């Protein structure tokens, strides 16, 4: 497994906790808190684009 630096968990209502991490090679990771050994991974730019789109409301239809 890569040398991932994890941020503190982000928890919404209840037990919905996620963590975001990065590694020295420029990859970004998202995992359910406590299950960091099974992350979703992509580039840091892809993570930035995801966060920007979520902030812009492009995922509001999922709520």
């Amino acid at each position: 497994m890569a040398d991932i630096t994890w941020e503190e968990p982000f928890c919404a209502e209840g037990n919905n906790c996620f963590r975001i991490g990065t590694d020295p090679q420029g990859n970004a990771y998202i995992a359910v808190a406590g299950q960091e050994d099974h992350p979703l991974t992509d580039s840091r730019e892809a993570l930035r684009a995801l966060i920007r789109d979520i902030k812009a409301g492009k995922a509001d239809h999922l709520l």
Side-chain angles (χ1 to χ4, degrees):
M1 177 66 49
D3 185 25
I4 302 170
T5 302
W6 292 102
E7 299 290 329
E8 290 297 315
F10 170 79
C11 299
E13 297 177 17
N15 294 325
N16 300 324
C17 298
F18 295 90
R19 297 186 79 182
I20 294 176
T22 56
D23 70 17
Q25 290 75 39
N27 299 307
Y29 301 82
I30 300 174
V32 173
Q35 297 182 21
E36 290 84 357
D37 54 336
H38 300 289
L40 170 69
T41 183
D42 208 325
S43 68
R44 288 184 189 190
E45 186 51 43
L47 178 61
R48 284 185 193 103
L50 174 66
I51 292 169
R52 281 199 243 19
D53 286 350
I54 290 170
K55 284 182 166 186
K58 293 183 181 180
D60 287 355
H61 66 283
L62 299 173
L63 300 174

